[in-house]
Amino acid sequence: MTTANLTTRTAAAVEARLKQAGIQLTMGGEPTLVPNHPEGAEWSVAADGPTKLRYARSLAAEIKRRAWPGCTVLYCPGKQYDGEVNPRWALRLITGKSGNPLVPLPPAGAATTSHVPDATELSSLLAAIGRDLGCTLEALPLRDPLQADRQVWAIPLTFQEDQWRSLAWPLAEGLRELSGAPGPAGLRLPLQHFPEGELRQVLTLERDPHGWALFLPPLEREPLERLLQRIAAHSQGWQEPELSGVLPWDAMEHWQVLGLTADPGVLEVNLPVCVSWHDYAGWMQLLEEAGAAVGLRSWKQQGERSEGTGGGNHLLLGGPSLDEHPFFTRPGWLVGLLRYWQHHPCLAYLFSGRSVGPASQAPRPDEGSASLLDLQLAHAALERLPAGDQRVTIGETLRHLHADRSGNTHRSEISLDKFWNPAWTAGCQGLLEFRALESLPDHRWSSAVALLFRALAVRLLNPEHRPTALRNWGAELHDQAMLPTALWADLELVLADLAADGLPLDPEPFRAMWQWRFPQLLHWQQGDAELSIRQALEPWPLLCDTPVEGGTTSRFVDSSLRRFELITNANFRESYTLVLQGRPLLWPPNPEQPLAVRFRQEALFPCLHPCLPVDVPLQLELHHAGGGAPIARWQLVHESSGFEPLTEVAKEATTAHPAPSGMPMPLRGAGDHCSTVDLRL
């Protein structure tokens, strides 16, 4: 059976089991994109920059053309972070629940036009809208200090007690100017001088020779739809306006919404709510195709190798509404899911980015602020809850435990920040957010991971399949469980669990992900003896808060550390030895236990142990077990190039960590039974 056929069959079985259990389990996603040739801070560390909004608008237009013809595109103010002058923006594509547009702009069937209305035509538009709404719209002209040829009008407009109302804004001539901040005029109004006691709801109209735009007043959903309909009805034959505003509080319940948001280093896409895996997979394919059409993709090229965008590809599970939410009345199911994920590190490390562990954006619960004892107590208490809606108890019990070591509830492998968290506006959505997922270069890979997670959730509906206790990993979690061979072996156990329950998944796409995720740095084979070296994961330690420009602090980690794994068979270990930096590598006593090496790739500031030198270039020699001259030599200068054959000239030029005089010292780790040896020890 082909991968596609097996996937289709298993996906259908997953949906059938959910239907049989009377459960509607929705999915969401937050994939990230970067340009084909990313340049500038906005595509590495900064949230915004000169090209990101332009890319977002191009992608919005392409998605609109392919998926939602006639949908409304709305520029919205997004999240506000300390140290950032303006809120981050978000482009929202909005359509009705059935897929029909709220208000076709331009109207359905209308030819595309480039006509930009002049001031007289816009005045007539306001008069016509006012007649339809039953009130005269009062327009106040304003100046834009950033663009002298841009005309701006502010029109106070509210809807209260089923009635539209506008009012005059008696603003002195010297105060009729927008602020100098970037963004649409509706975010730059001199509202500090608005009439006291009146709602600060203002329709803002602006035009220049290239186009026209509207900032919609913050209205509830139904009056906002009515206003949009009047705008569309009286602007036929004109260029489509750029719309800005804020989403009504109940938008997600009545509309389908897709978001494009500014995030550090990437363009983040917030998928609409998906009712099935097929719905999710369809959006991931469309997004990849639409992105390619405008020069965006879900991966970066680093030298000869590709890697993720550096941003997330978070997956969300929830319900069709808060009244029909599957987790609220099934805390035992939720606990079983959390325990199963804790038992399988591959679900935290195999599909994430380079930054993993306690200082990452998605630490496991046993890497975060909670003790294993507190987690066990919480799980036991939730399993004993009586029947009924337990959303508040679940949220209050778990959200304090699923947090990083600083107490940040957003940074967690499985975040409950949006489950039932009344501490912030968007916190009560009933969402489980799986954050240990990074963007992948193929939409089929991302969809395979989503089906894996969804199938596991369905399997764990059966109480007999749920772990009864958490596992105390101890030092083994970071010493061994992060290594490529251990992660693959763990994933094989997960796939075997699903296959035994009648939900088989083809391992080949996951094998391809594993090979892409952990590139091979060296492969050598002689007869039955084989050596392979693969890039491995290394937790990057968190540094103290470091002041940056503006007086704010950022989270700095020491990303200079790297690790690789040496994968050998018994024939190799019997016949050959390896010498690294002039010192022999000692294999663990357990022949099935892998060996890894930790080293410092580069000098950073700040970093841990600044007095310890950079370890590269690394020189590796292969010897017969009986000794003698080396059979082969390799050198690693950087992971991206792997181990290259070392010529005699290059060998003599190598000066890093010369072999000590006398008897060579074996490399050692922190303990006799560690899988990882450290070049710094």
Side-chain angles (χ1 to χ4, degrees):
M1 183 178 294
T2 65
T3 297
N5 289 340
L6 182 59
T7 298
T8 300
R9 190 181 73 175
T10 298
V14 166
E15 301 307 321
R17 292 195 192 182
L18 287 170
K19 185 176 181 180
Q20 185 179 15
I23 290 174
Q24 297 182 66
L25 184 65
T26 61
M27 302 181 75
E30 296 180 1
T32 52
L33 302 172
V34 295
N36 295 343
H37 303 288
E39 296 180 358
E42 62 184 311
W43 301 113
S44 56
V45 294
D48 202 5
T51 67
K52 191 168 287 186
L53 182 57
R54 186 173 74 243
Y55 271 111
R57 289 199 181 278
S58 297
L59 181 60
E62 191 66 23
I63 294 172
K64 179 176 181 177
R65 184 182 70 81
R66 292 168 178 262
W68 287 349
C71 73
T72 300
V73 179
L74 190 67
Y75 175 106
C76 302
K79 295 179 181 178
Q80 177 85 54
Y81 288 88
D82 291 341
E84 295 181 4
V85 177
N86 296 317
R88 297 177 184 175
W89 50 260
L91 284 187
R92 311 286 190 194
L93 283 73
I94 304 164
T95 193
K97 279 290 187 185
S98 63
N100 295 323
L102 302 179
V103 179
L105 279 170
T112 302
T113 175
S114 60
H115 175 67
V116 178
D118 58 25
T120 301
E121 290 173 307
L122 291 176
S123 178
S124 298
L125 170 70
L126 294 178
I129 293 173
R131 285 194 302 270
D132 291 352
L133 300 181
C135 69
T136 301
L137 301 187
E138 302 279 354
L140 172 73
L142 297 171
R143 293 181 297 274
D144 187 346
L146 302 180
Q147 191 174 343
D149 64 346
R150 194 163 187 83
Q151 297 170 286
V152 181
W153 298 269
I155 306 100
L157 182 62
T158 63
F159 183 80
Q160 293 177 287
E161 299 178 352
D162 229 15
Q163 186 175 5
W164 292 91
R165 178 171 172 262
S166 185
L167 58 91
W169 186 353
L171 191 62
E173 180 63 31
L175 300 176
R176 295 185 180 186
E177 185 170 276
L178 301 175
S179 74
L187 295 177
R188 303 161 55 202
L189 298 172
L191 291 177
Q192 68 272 28
H193 303 297
F194 200 73
E196 292 188 12
E198 299 288 351
L199 288 176
R200 296 181 177 183
Q201 293 180 315
V202 182
L203 173 67
T204 309
L205 175 61
E206 48 187 318
R207 74 166 300 280
D208 63 21
H210 308 290
W212 65 295
L214 289 159
F215 191 97
L216 304 171
L219 299 167
E220 297 209 6
R221 179 180 51 82
E222 291 184 355
L224 183 61
E225 288 183 5
R226 201 179 313 167
L227 177 59
L228 281 170
Q229 290 165 358
R230 295 303 87 211
I231 293 170
H234 297 292
S235 60
Q236 295 188 34
W238 297 355
Q239 181 190 90
E240 183 177 349
E242 287 190 356
L243 296 176
S244 305
V246 295
L247 286 182
W249 64 272
D250 59 347
M252 299 299 185
E253 294 182 29
H254 298 273
W255 298 341
Q256 292 189 73
V257 180
L258 183 146
L260 306 174
T261 61
D263 212 42
V266 297
L267 177 65
E268 179 179 292
V269 182
N270 303 110
L271 296 180
V273 175
C274 303
V275 298
S276 68
W277 174 82
H278 279 290
D279 193 10
Y280 174 90
W283 273 112
M284 294 302 290
Q285 179 176 353
L286 184 144
L287 184 62
E288 182 175 292
E289 294 169 353
V294 299
L296 292 168
R297 62 191 182 190
S298 59
W299 52 279
K300 287 181 177 180
Q301 190 69 31
Q302 298 290 349
E304 298 179 0
R305 296 196 178 99
S306 62
E307 61 182 38
T309 60
N313 186 18
H314 307 154
L315 185 69
L316 300 103
L317 296 182
S321 69
L322 296 180
D323 294 330
E324 301 176 276
H325 198 286
F327 288 122
F328 289 170
T329 56
R330 297 175 178 86
W333 179 31
L334 178 54
V335 166
L337 187 149
L338 298 178
R339 282 190 187 138
Y340 189 90
W341 256 250
Q342 195 267 344
H343 275 243
H344 292 284
C346 68
L347 302 176
Y349 301 141
L350 182 50
F351 310 115
S352 61
R354 292 296 301 268
S355 180
V356 295
S360 73
Q361 292 292 311
R364 287 163 47 98
D366 44 11
E367 296 174 319
S369 60
S371 69
L372 210 60
L373 175 60
D374 284 326
L375 288 166
Q376 290 169 338
L377 287 173
H379 291 176
L382 291 177
E383 288 177 311
R384 292 194 297 266
L385 290 175
D389 189 332
Q390 300 291 349
R391 70 181 80 177
V392 175
T393 304
I394 294 171
E396 288 303 305
T397 300
L398 292 176
R399 70 184 180 90
H400 298 286
L401 300 175
H402 282 249
D404 73 357
R405 291 180 178 176
S406 73
N408 187 313
T409 58
H410 191 56
R411 289 193 286 260
S412 180
E413 178 199 4
I414 303 178
S415 171
L416 285 93
D417 208 29
K418 303 171 187 173
F419 187 82
W420 203 258
N421 178 11
W424 68 295
T425 308
C428 296
Q429 301 181 60
L431 295 175
L432 283 183
E433 183 176 7
F434 295 84
R435 292 176 47 81
L437 301 169
E438 198 189 30
S439 60
L440 296 169
D442 190 320
H443 72 90
R444 291 167 295 187
W445 290 6
S446 297
S447 296
V449 175
L451 183 57
L452 171 69
F453 280 38
R454 190 173 179 86
L456 285 173
V458 168
R459 178 180 181 271
L460 294 169
L461 279 169
N462 186 341
E464 295 180 0
H465 293 155
R466 303 170 189 166
T468 57
L470 296 172
R471 176 174 174 177
N472 188 353
W473 285 90
E476 183 185 353
L477 182 64
H478 292 164
D479 177 49
Q480 297 179 33
M482 284 186 173
L483 302 183
T485 53
L487 290 172
W488 180 252
D490 187 36
L491 181 63
E492 287 185 317
L493 295 177
V494 172
L495 295 176
D497 283 346
L498 288 173
D501 197 29
L503 299 172
L505 294 174
D506 188 346
E508 287 309 308
F510 298 100
R511 188 73 179 182
M513 291 179 225
W514 179 83
Q515 292 173 336
W516 177 79
R517 181 93 166 82
F518 305 110
Q520 188 167 259
L521 305 179
L522 173 67
H523 182 261
W524 181 89
Q525 186 171 4
Q526 185 71 41
D528 294 332
E530 187 173 5
L531 165 68
S532 180
I533 300 179
R534 285 193 179 273
Q535 189 179 95
L537 295 175
E538 175 62 30
W540 292 336
L542 182 67
L543 303 176
C544 293
D545 286 344
T546 304
V548 295
E549 185 177 356
T552 61
T553 58
S554 298
R555 286 167 53 93
F556 281 74
V557 295
D558 182 0
S559 60
S560 68
L561 305 180
R562 297 290 190 273
R563 184 160 37 162
F564 60 78
E565 181 187 37
L566 299 102
I567 306 167
T568 62
N569 57 15
N571 289 329
F572 183 92
R573 295 192 184 193
E574 290 173 2
S575 304
Y576 300 97
T577 60
L578 289 171
V579 175
L580 181 65
Q581 304 295 74
R583 294 172 286 182
L585 288 172
L586 299 181
W587 303 110
N590 181 352
E592 296 183 358
Q593 185 175 343
L595 180 69
V597 172
R598 180 190 295 116
F599 64 99
R600 172 161 276 167
Q601 172 69 61
E602 55 196 336
L604 299 176
F605 181 83
C607 69
L608 287 185
H609 309 298
C611 59
L612 296 180
V614 170
D615 293 308
V616 294
L618 299 180
Q619 180 179 324
L620 180 67
E621 295 181 350
L622 175 68
H623 293 257
H624 284 295
I631 304 168
R633 299 188 184 94
W634 301 276
Q635 181 171 273
L636 183 139
V637 177
H638 196 280
E639 281 182 328
S640 61
S641 58
F643 279 92
E644 299 287 348
L646 183 64
T647 65
E648 291 300 318
V649 174
K651 175 179 179 295
E652 291 183 8
T654 300
T655 58
H657 291 292
S661 59
M663 184 66 67
M665 295 177 59
L667 290 171
R668 301 187 67 83
D672 292 338
H673 303 293
C674 286
S675 291
T676 302
V677 294
D678 197 326
L679 285 179
R680 299 173 300 168
L681 295 176

